[in-house]
Amino acid sequence: MPNRDTTAVPNRDRNCGLIVHIGGAEHLDDWVEDVPATGRLLAEHFWPGPLTLVLRRGPRVPLEATGGLQTVAVRVPDHPVALALLAAFDGGVTAPSANRFGSVSPTTADHVCAELADAVDFVLDGGPCEVGVESTIVDATGDVPTILRPGGVTREDLEAVLGSPLAVPSTSRVRVPGQHPSHYAPRARVVLVEPEKVIAEAELAHELGHQVGVFLPAAFADYAVKAHAVVTVPESMAAYARGLYGFLRELDRQECDLMVASLPEEGLGLAIANRLRRAAGPRSTV
Ligand code: AMP
Ligand code: MG
């Protein structure tokens, strides 16, 4: 474990755990205890990849890395630069995402530099993120795994490998930052409406004098919407997930004060919808 405080720069809530990144599934037992068969199956199938498993903390993991919990979040990233770094370090790297806590996640080195250039010594640029949205976090401590945060691996993918349904998550307490009502938030306010109401809502706000940024559904791509800035939502959910944070950042850069979007519903769209809901969430609770 590195000694440098990786939570200091993002100004992160210290009661929330970090992800411990490891170089391969074969290192899993160095960091966790009592891995259920389902957890091992998911690790073997999806690693390296955008799946984080919450398992019982092994003694090598400091409580600072787990937000004081007796569980630890572990994953193997699917990127040659990250894997080379982990192999060279030969340990676990606890790393928050390279942005200020609660704001839009970065998906390129430029995003990181724009936000943190003055606060960090070095940015290792591995190119733009392939998946775009964060990893799926699965609590695999019990016999029936639960999704704590939807992400790059879909529920359908997980259930296909397990051969059975996942458990329904309890909403009783905030356990991960991705579950705060407001997270991934741009500067502009985000308003969510049905896809067929996006244009009317955006044009009304435009008439009222707002600097409106529109997430234009692909079905209406040809419509010349009256607004300050427009991004056309890609039809492919993979492309949308990859572009989402860039779109939010771009509309902020163009100084929109309001963004109008709708929620996709299936597969990777669930992770996108989760991020958009939190981007639209009440800000005061962070
Ligand atoms: P991020 O680095 O922004 O993708 O956030 C890492 C995620 O892992 C956060 O949502 C953390 O709260 C979550 N996490 C870390 N440790 C645990 C844990 N022991 N149990 C549940 N979630 C965790
Ligand atoms: Mg993050």
Side-chain angles (χ1 to χ4, degrees):
M1 289 284 176
N3 291 324
R4 177 123 185 216
D5 182 352
T6 53
T7 65
V9 169
N11 193 18
R12 199 178 162 98
D13 178 351
R14 274 156 206 281
N15 294 320
C16 291
L18 295 158
I19 294 176
V20 177
H21 298 77
I22 59 174
E26 66 278 15
H27 302 300
L28 182 60
D29 296 284
D30 297 346
W31 305 100
V32 303
E33 288 186 338
D34 306 331
V35 182
T38 48
R40 205 164 295 276
L41 179 67
L42 294 176
E44 278 163 11
H45 194 89
F46 290 103
W47 286 353
L51 176 69
T52 298
L53 294 175
V54 171
L55 292 160
R56 285 162 60 89
R57 180 180 76 94
R60 280 178 79 188
V61 181
L63 283 169
E64 287 85 348
T66 70
L69 297 173
Q70 291 304 332
T71 51
V72 58
V74 193
R75 102 177 175 91
V76 179
D78 185 14
H79 191 286
V81 174
L83 290 172
L85 179 75
L86 290 166
F89 182 62
D90 195 24
V93 174
T94 53
S97 37
N99 63 319
R100 306 275 174 196
F101 185 70
S103 74
V104 180
S105 302
T107 48
T108 67
D110 281 350
H111 294 165
V112 177
C113 292
E115 206 168 335
L116 300 180
D118 299 338
V120 297
D121 300 329
F122 188 77
V123 175
L124 183 59
D125 184 358
C129 293
E130 272 291 309
V131 178
V133 291
E134 291 81 354
S135 59
T136 303
I137 303 181
V138 169
D139 181 347
T141 50
D143 291 332
V144 184
T146 313
I147 295 181
L148 298 179
R149 173 179 77 183
V153 174
T154 64
R155 165 179 290 272
E156 294 85 340
D157 295 339
L158 292 162
E159 291 182 343
V161 167
L162 291 170
S164 56
L166 293 157
V168 177
S170 140
T171 50
S172 57
R173 64 200 175 111
V174 173
R175 225 182 141 192
V176 299
Q179 292 180 340
H180 278 283
S182 171
H183 203 67
Y184 317 110
R187 279 198 309 272
R189 194 158 65 84
V190 178
V191 170
L192 300 171
V193 295
E194 301 293 317
E196 56 279 7
K197 294 191 181 143
V198 166
I199 292 171
E201 183 75 25
E203 293 192 334
L204 178 64
H206 173 77
E207 272 170 38
L208 291 173
H210 282 286
Q211 299 271 94
V212 184
V214 190
F215 278 65
L216 190 63
F220 306 108
D222 294 335
Y223 185 86
V225 50
K226 287 184 222 58
H228 179 67
V230 179
V231 288
T232 303
V233 171
E235 233 160 323
S236 133
M237 283 301 123
Y240 192 4
R242 193 157 46 237
L244 174 67
Y245 293 127
F247 299 153
L248 291 168
R249 283 171 181 270
E250 175 57 21
L251 295 181
D252 258 351
R253 197 191 62 75
Q254 296 195 41
E255 300 191 339
C256 297
D257 61 38
L258 187 78
M259 299 186 194
V260 181
S262 58
L263 297 175
E265 280 166 10
E266 275 168 30
L268 256 184
L270 287 183
I272 298 168
N274 170 277
R275 305 306 186 269
L276 283 171
R277 264 195 212 98
R278 293 192 158 82
R283 307 278 164 99
S284 57
T285 54
V286 170

PDB file of all heavy atoms in Angstrom, residues 214-243:
ATOM      1  N   VAL A 214     -28.298  20.822 -24.367  1.00  0.00           N
ATOM      2  CA  VAL A 214     -29.264  19.749 -24.622  1.00  0.00           C
ATOM      3  C   VAL A 214     -28.558  18.434 -24.904  1.00  0.00           C
ATOM      4  O   VAL A 214     -27.632  18.392 -25.710  1.00  0.00           O
ATOM      5  CB  VAL A 214     -30.139  20.078 -25.853  1.00  0.00           C
ATOM      6  CG1 VAL A 214     -31.294  19.092 -25.963  1.00  0.00           C
ATOM      7  CG2 VAL A 214     -30.648  21.494 -25.788  1.00  0.00           C
ATOM      8  N   PHE A 215     -28.985  17.380 -24.240  1.00  0.00           N
ATOM      9  CA  PHE A 215     -28.613  16.023 -24.615  1.00  0.00           C
ATOM     10  C   PHE A 215     -29.698  15.548 -25.586  1.00  0.00           C
ATOM     11  O   PHE A 215     -30.729  15.030 -25.176  1.00  0.00           O
ATOM     12  CB  PHE A 215     -28.579  15.104 -23.381  1.00  0.00           C
ATOM     13  CG  PHE A 215     -27.305  15.187 -22.595  1.00  0.00           C
ATOM     14  CD1 PHE A 215     -26.942  16.348 -21.945  1.00  0.00           C
ATOM     15  CD2 PHE A 215     -26.464  14.079 -22.489  1.00  0.00           C
ATOM     16  CE1 PHE A 215     -25.765  16.429 -21.214  1.00  0.00           C
ATOM     17  CE2 PHE A 215     -25.287  14.152 -21.760  1.00  0.00           C
ATOM     18  CZ  PHE A 215     -24.943  15.325 -21.123  1.00  0.00           C
ATOM     19  N   LEU A 216     -29.469  15.769 -26.872  1.00  0.00           N
ATOM     20  CA  LEU A 216     -30.503  15.501 -27.871  1.00  0.00           C
ATOM     21  C   LEU A 216     -30.567  14.006 -28.189  1.00  0.00           C
ATOM     22  O   LEU A 216     -29.579  13.434 -28.650  1.00  0.00           O
ATOM     23  CB  LEU A 216     -30.180  16.303 -29.138  1.00  0.00           C
ATOM     24  CG  LEU A 216     -31.248  16.352 -30.220  1.00  0.00           C
ATOM     25  CD1 LEU A 216     -32.513  17.039 -29.725  1.00  0.00           C
ATOM     26  CD2 LEU A 216     -30.706  17.070 -31.463  1.00  0.00           C
ATOM     27  N   PRO A 217     -31.732  13.373 -27.942  1.00  0.00           N
ATOM     28  CA  PRO A 217     -31.833  11.932 -28.235  1.00  0.00           C
ATOM     29  C   PRO A 217     -31.546  11.657 -29.707  1.00  0.00           C
ATOM     30  O   PRO A 217     -31.928  12.454 -30.571  1.00  0.00           O
ATOM     31  CB  PRO A 217     -33.282  11.600 -27.871  1.00  0.00           C
ATOM     32  CG  PRO A 217     -33.715  12.665 -26.925  1.00  0.00           C
ATOM     33  CD  PRO A 217     -32.973  13.908 -27.355  1.00  0.00           C
ATOM     34  N   ALA A 218     -30.901  10.537 -29.997  1.00  0.00           N
ATOM     35  CA  ALA A 218     -30.495  10.204 -31.368  1.00  0.00           C
ATOM     36  C   ALA A 218     -31.681  10.251 -32.326  1.00  0.00           C
ATOM     37  O   ALA A 218     -31.539  10.663 -33.478  1.00  0.00           O
ATOM     38  CB  ALA A 218     -29.840   8.827 -31.381  1.00  0.00           C
ATOM     39  N   ALA A 219     -32.879   9.894 -31.840  1.00  0.00           N
ATOM     40  CA  ALA A 219     -34.065   9.864 -32.699  1.00  0.00           C
ATOM     41  C   ALA A 219     -34.402  11.248 -33.256  1.00  0.00           C
ATOM     42  O   ALA A 219     -35.068  11.369 -34.280  1.00  0.00           O
ATOM     43  CB  ALA A 219     -35.261   9.322 -31.908  1.00  0.00           C
ATOM     44  N   PHE A 220     -33.952  12.321 -32.556  1.00  0.00           N
ATOM     45  CA  PHE A 220     -34.258  13.692 -33.007  1.00  0.00           C
ATOM     46  C   PHE A 220     -33.013  14.413 -33.513  1.00  0.00           C
ATOM     47  O   PHE A 220     -32.968  15.638 -33.568  1.00  0.00           O
ATOM     48  CB  PHE A 220     -34.877  14.495 -31.846  1.00  0.00           C
ATOM     49  CG  PHE A 220     -36.069  13.825 -31.215  1.00  0.00           C
ATOM     50  CD1 PHE A 220     -35.977  13.262 -29.945  1.00  0.00           C
ATOM     51  CD2 PHE A 220     -37.277  13.749 -31.893  1.00  0.00           C
ATOM     52  CE1 PHE A 220     -37.068  12.634 -29.362  1.00  0.00           C
ATOM     53  CE2 PHE A 220     -38.378  13.131 -31.314  1.00  0.00           C
ATOM     54  CZ  PHE A 220     -38.275  12.561 -30.047  1.00  0.00           C
ATOM     55  N   ALA A 221     -32.013  13.633 -33.897  1.00  0.00           N
ATOM     56  CA  ALA A 221     -30.701  14.212 -34.235  1.00  0.00           C
ATOM     57  C   ALA A 221     -30.779  15.289 -35.308  1.00  0.00           C
ATOM     58  O   ALA A 221     -29.970  16.213 -35.317  1.00  0.00           O
ATOM     59  CB  ALA A 221     -29.741  13.111 -34.664  1.00  0.00           C
ATOM     60  N   ASP A 222     -31.759  15.194 -36.234  1.00  0.00           N
ATOM     61  CA  ASP A 222     -31.836  16.156 -37.336  1.00  0.00           C
ATOM     62  C   ASP A 222     -32.535  17.451 -36.958  1.00  0.00           C
ATOM     63  O   ASP A 222     -32.567  18.400 -37.731  1.00  0.00           O
ATOM     64  CB  ASP A 222     -32.584  15.524 -38.533  1.00  0.00           C
ATOM     65  CG  ASP A 222     -31.795  14.374 -39.109  1.00  0.00           C
ATOM     66  OD1 ASP A 222     -30.556  14.378 -38.938  1.00  0.00           O
ATOM     67  OD2 ASP A 222     -32.416  13.468 -39.704  1.00  0.00           O
ATOM     68  N   TYR A 223     -33.127  17.500 -35.786  1.00  0.00           N
ATOM     69  CA  TYR A 223     -33.908  18.672 -35.396  1.00  0.00           C
ATOM     70  C   TYR A 223     -32.985  19.812 -34.946  1.00  0.00           C
ATOM     71  O   TYR A 223     -32.079  19.604 -34.132  1.00  0.00           O
ATOM     72  CB  TYR A 223     -34.866  18.286 -34.258  1.00  0.00           C
ATOM     73  CG  TYR A 223     -35.797  19.399 -33.865  1.00  0.00           C
ATOM     74  CD1 TYR A 223     -36.994  19.595 -34.537  1.00  0.00           C
ATOM     75  CD2 TYR A 223     -35.455  20.268 -32.827  1.00  0.00           C
ATOM     76  CE1 TYR A 223     -37.839  20.646 -34.179  1.00  0.00           C
ATOM     77  CE2 TYR A 223     -36.300  21.312 -32.462  1.00  0.00           C
ATOM     78  CZ  TYR A 223     -37.482  21.483 -33.149  1.00  0.00           C
ATOM     79  OH  TYR A 223     -38.316  22.511 -32.796  1.00  0.00           O
ATOM     80  N   ALA A 224     -33.204  21.010 -35.499  1.00  0.00           N
ATOM     81  CA  ALA A 224     -32.373  22.167 -35.132  1.00  0.00           C
ATOM     82  C   ALA A 224     -32.932  22.802 -33.859  1.00  0.00           C
ATOM     83  O   ALA A 224     -33.691  23.768 -33.911  1.00  0.00           O
ATOM     84  CB  ALA A 224     -32.343  23.175 -36.272  1.00  0.00           C
ATOM     85  N   VAL A 225     -32.573  22.246 -32.729  1.00  0.00           N
ATOM     86  CA  VAL A 225     -33.145  22.696 -31.456  1.00  0.00           C
ATOM     87  C   VAL A 225     -32.602  24.076 -31.083  1.00  0.00           C
ATOM     88  O   VAL A 225     -31.412  24.349 -31.251  1.00  0.00           O
ATOM     89  CB  VAL A 225     -32.910  21.628 -30.347  1.00  0.00           C
ATOM     90  CG1 VAL A 225     -31.493  21.180 -30.290  1.00  0.00           C
ATOM     91  CG2 VAL A 225     -33.368  22.108 -28.987  1.00  0.00           C
ATOM     92  N   LYS A 226     -33.507  24.945 -30.609  1.00  0.00           N
ATOM     93  CA  LYS A 226     -33.081  26.290 -30.209  1.00  0.00           C
ATOM     94  C   LYS A 226     -32.544  26.225 -28.783  1.00  0.00           C
ATOM     95  O   LYS A 226     -33.308  26.094 -27.825  1.00  0.00           O
ATOM     96  CB  LYS A 226     -34.268  27.256 -30.276  1.00  0.00           C
ATOM     97  CG  LYS A 226     -34.672  27.615 -31.695  1.00  0.00           C
ATOM     98  CD  LYS A 226     -35.777  28.647 -31.680  1.00  0.00           C
ATOM     99  CE  LYS A 226     -36.858  28.384 -32.701  1.00  0.00           C
ATOM    100  NZ  LYS A 226     -37.558  27.113 -32.649  1.00  0.00           N
ATOM    101  N   ALA A 227     -31.225  26.276 -28.675  1.00  0.00           N
ATOM    102  CA  ALA A 227     -30.579  26.184 -27.367  1.00  0.00           C
ATOM    103  C   ALA A 227     -29.166  26.725 -27.492  1.00  0.00           C
ATOM    104  O   ALA A 227     -28.691  26.989 -28.594  1.00  0.00           O
ATOM    105  CB  ALA A 227     -30.541  24.731 -26.899  1.00  0.00           C
ATOM    106  N   HIS A 228     -28.488  26.881 -26.359  1.00  0.00           N
ATOM    107  CA  HIS A 228     -27.131  27.434 -26.366  1.00  0.00           C
ATOM    108  C   HIS A 228     -26.127  26.411 -26.912  1.00  0.00           C
ATOM    109  O   HIS A 228     -25.223  26.758 -27.660  1.00  0.00           O
ATOM    110  CB  HIS A 228     -26.772  27.834 -24.929  1.00  0.00           C
ATOM    111  CG  HIS A 228     -25.397  28.385 -24.785  1.00  0.00           C
ATOM    112  ND1 HIS A 228     -25.026  29.583 -25.344  1.00  0.00           N
ATOM    113  CD2 HIS A 228     -24.293  27.898 -24.160  1.00  0.00           C
ATOM    114  CE1 HIS A 228     -23.754  29.819 -25.054  1.00  0.00           C
ATOM    115  NE2 HIS A 228     -23.289  28.811 -24.342  1.00  0.00           N
ATOM    116  N   ALA A 229     -26.277  25.143 -26.519  1.00  0.00           N
ATOM    117  CA  ALA A 229     -25.338  24.104 -26.958  1.00  0.00           C
ATOM    118  C   ALA A 229     -26.059  22.768 -27.027  1.00  0.00           C
ATOM    119  O   ALA A 229     -26.971  22.503 -26.235  1.00  0.00           O
ATOM    120  CB  ALA A 229     -24.169  24.015 -25.980  1.00  0.00           C
ATOM    121  N   VAL A 230     -25.637  21.946 -27.969  1.00  0.00           N
ATOM    122  CA  VAL A 230     -26.307  20.648 -28.165  1.00  0.00           C
ATOM    123  C   VAL A 230     -25.265  19.539 -28.287  1.00  0.00           C
ATOM    124  O   VAL A 230     -24.279  19.697 -28.994  1.00  0.00           O
ATOM    125  CB  VAL A 230     -27.157  20.669 -29.465  1.00  0.00           C
ATOM    126  CG1 VAL A 230     -27.823  19.318 -29.692  1.00  0.00           C
ATOM    127  CG2 VAL A 230     -28.196  21.780 -29.420  1.00  0.00           C
ATOM    128  N   VAL A 231     -25.483  18.423 -27.575  1.00  0.00           N
ATOM    129  CA  VAL A 231     -24.739  17.203 -27.894  1.00  0.00           C
ATOM    130  C   VAL A 231     -25.769  16.166 -28.335  1.00  0.00           C
ATOM    131  O   VAL A 231     -26.826  16.034 -27.707  1.00  0.00           O
ATOM    132  CB  VAL A 231     -23.903  16.641 -26.714  1.00  0.00           C
ATOM    133  CG1 VAL A 231     -22.708  17.502 -26.426  1.00  0.00           C
ATOM    134  CG2 VAL A 231     -24.739  16.446 -25.472  1.00  0.00           C
ATOM    135  N   THR A 232     -25.479  15.486 -29.423  1.00  0.00           N
ATOM    136  CA  THR A 232     -26.387  14.435 -29.859  1.00  0.00           C
ATOM    137  C   THR A 232     -25.974  13.138 -29.179  1.00  0.00           C
ATOM    138  O   THR A 232     -24.817  12.728 -29.259  1.00  0.00           O
ATOM    139  CB  THR A 232     -26.345  14.280 -31.389  1.00  0.00           C
ATOM    140  OG1 THR A 232     -26.665  15.554 -31.957  1.00  0.00           O
ATOM    141  CG2 THR A 232     -27.354  13.255 -31.865  1.00  0.00           C
ATOM    142  N   VAL A 233     -26.919  12.547 -28.483  1.00  0.00           N
ATOM    143  CA  VAL A 233     -26.634  11.326 -27.721  1.00  0.00           C
ATOM    144  C   VAL A 233     -26.386  10.167 -28.698  1.00  0.00           C
ATOM    145  O   VAL A 233     -27.216   9.929 -29.577  1.00  0.00           O
ATOM    146  CB  VAL A 233     -27.837  11.006 -26.804  1.00  0.00           C
ATOM    147  CG1 VAL A 233     -27.689   9.649 -26.161  1.00  0.00           C
ATOM    148  CG2 VAL A 233     -28.017  12.098 -25.768  1.00  0.00           C
ATOM    149  N   PRO A 234     -25.270   9.458 -28.571  1.00  0.00           N
ATOM    150  CA  PRO A 234     -25.021   8.336 -29.484  1.00  0.00           C
ATOM    151  C   PRO A 234     -26.079   7.246 -29.311  1.00  0.00           C
ATOM    152  O   PRO A 234     -26.596   7.045 -28.210  1.00  0.00           O
ATOM    153  CB  PRO A 234     -23.660   7.803 -29.047  1.00  0.00           C
ATOM    154  CG  PRO A 234     -23.057   8.860 -28.198  1.00  0.00           C
ATOM    155  CD  PRO A 234     -24.186   9.630 -27.601  1.00  0.00           C
ATOM    156  N   GLU A 235     -26.376   6.574 -30.409  1.00  0.00           N
ATOM    157  CA  GLU A 235     -27.356   5.500 -30.332  1.00  0.00           C
ATOM    158  C   GLU A 235     -26.824   4.306 -29.544  1.00  0.00           C
ATOM    159  O   GLU A 235     -27.547   3.651 -28.805  1.00  0.00           O
ATOM    160  CB  GLU A 235     -27.733   5.054 -31.747  1.00  0.00           C
ATOM    161  CG  GLU A 235     -29.215   5.064 -31.952  1.00  0.00           C
ATOM    162  CD  GLU A 235     -29.574   5.100 -33.424  1.00  0.00           C
ATOM    163  OE1 GLU A 235     -28.871   5.768 -34.218  1.00  0.00           O
ATOM    164  OE2 GLU A 235     -30.559   4.446 -33.763  1.00  0.00           O
ATOM    165  N   SER A 236     -25.535   4.037 -29.721  1.00  0.00           N
ATOM    166  CA  SER A 236     -24.936   2.899 -29.019  1.00  0.00           C
ATOM    167  C   SER A 236     -24.679   3.268 -27.559  1.00  0.00           C
ATOM    168  O   SER A 236     -24.087   4.313 -27.262  1.00  0.00           O
ATOM    169  CB  SER A 236     -23.617   2.510 -29.712  1.00  0.00           C
ATOM    170  OG  SER A 236     -22.586   2.337 -28.769  1.00  0.00           O
ATOM    171  N   MET A 237     -25.150   2.422 -26.646  1.00  0.00           N
ATOM    172  CA  MET A 237     -24.979   2.695 -25.214  1.00  0.00           C
ATOM    173  C   MET A 237     -23.497   2.696 -24.835  1.00  0.00           C
ATOM    174  O   MET A 237     -23.077   3.413 -23.935  1.00  0.00           O
ATOM    175  CB  MET A 237     -25.734   1.667 -24.365  1.00  0.00           C
ATOM    176  CG  MET A 237     -27.225   1.913 -24.322  1.00  0.00           C
ATOM    177  SD  MET A 237     -27.627   3.542 -23.652  1.00  0.00           S
ATOM    178  CE  MET A 237     -28.554   4.229 -24.975  1.00  0.00           C
ATOM    179  N   ALA A 238     -22.705   1.869 -25.518  1.00  0.00           N
ATOM    180  CA  ALA A 238     -21.258   1.839 -25.221  1.00  0.00           C
ATOM    181  C   ALA A 238     -20.640   3.183 -25.570  1.00  0.00           C
ATOM    182  O   ALA A 238     -19.833   3.736 -24.810  1.00  0.00           O
ATOM    183  CB  ALA A 238     -20.581   0.715 -25.992  1.00  0.00           C
ATOM    184  N   ALA A 239     -21.054   3.755 -26.725  1.00  0.00           N
ATOM    185  CA  ALA A 239     -20.514   5.064 -27.124  1.00  0.00           C
ATOM    186  C   ALA A 239     -21.020   6.157 -26.184  1.00  0.00           C
ATOM    187  O   ALA A 239     -20.282   7.086 -25.837  1.00  0.00           O
ATOM    188  CB  ALA A 239     -20.912   5.365 -28.563  1.00  0.00           C
ATOM    189  N   TYR A 240     -22.259   6.036 -25.741  1.00  0.00           N
ATOM    190  CA  TYR A 240     -22.822   7.035 -24.817  1.00  0.00           C
ATOM    191  C   TYR A 240     -22.073   6.985 -23.481  1.00  0.00           C
ATOM    192  O   TYR A 240     -21.674   8.017 -22.928  1.00  0.00           O
ATOM    193  CB  TYR A 240     -24.321   6.772 -24.636  1.00  0.00           C
ATOM    194  CG  TYR A 240     -25.093   7.879 -23.930  1.00  0.00           C
ATOM    195  CD1 TYR A 240     -24.493   9.076 -23.546  1.00  0.00           C
ATOM    196  CD2 TYR A 240     -26.467   7.719 -23.674  1.00  0.00           C
ATOM    197  CE1 TYR A 240     -25.217  10.076 -22.903  1.00  0.00           C
ATOM    198  CE2 TYR A 240     -27.199   8.713 -23.038  1.00  0.00           C
ATOM    199  CZ  TYR A 240     -26.567   9.888 -22.652  1.00  0.00           C
ATOM    200  OH  TYR A 240     -27.290  10.867 -22.018  1.00  0.00           O
ATOM    201  N   ALA A 241     -21.864   5.758 -22.973  1.00  0.00           N
ATOM    202  CA  ALA A 241     -21.147   5.608 -21.703  1.00  0.00           C
ATOM    203  C   ALA A 241     -19.730   6.187 -21.823  1.00  0.00           C
ATOM    204  O   ALA A 241     -19.247   6.863 -20.919  1.00  0.00           O
ATOM    205  CB  ALA A 241     -21.083   4.135 -21.304  1.00  0.00           C
ATOM    206  N   ARG A 242     -19.101   5.947 -22.949  1.00  0.00           N
ATOM    207  CA  ARG A 242     -17.734   6.441 -23.166  1.00  0.00           C
ATOM    208  C   ARG A 242     -17.722   7.976 -23.223  1.00  0.00           C
ATOM    209  O   ARG A 242     -16.813   8.613 -22.730  1.00  0.00           O
ATOM    210  CB  ARG A 242     -17.199   5.849 -24.478  1.00  0.00           C
ATOM    211  CG  ARG A 242     -15.731   6.005 -24.682  1.00  0.00           C
ATOM    212  CD  ARG A 242     -15.166   4.976 -25.656  1.00  0.00           C
ATOM    213  NE  ARG A 242     -15.971   4.836 -26.863  1.00  0.00           N
ATOM    214  CZ  ARG A 242     -16.510   3.695 -27.279  1.00  0.00           C
ATOM    215  NH1 ARG A 242     -16.313   2.586 -26.612  1.00  0.00           N
ATOM    216  NH2 ARG A 242     -17.229   3.648 -28.386  1.00  0.00           N
ATOM    217  N   GLY A 243     -18.788   8.552 -23.802  1.00  0.00           N
ATOM    218  CA  GLY A 243     -18.801  10.003 -24.006  1.00  0.00           C
ATOM    219  C   GLY A 243     -19.432  10.805 -22.888  1.00  0.00           C
ATOM    220  O   GLY A 243     -19.225  12.016 -22.814  1.00  0.00           O
TER     221      GLY A 243
END
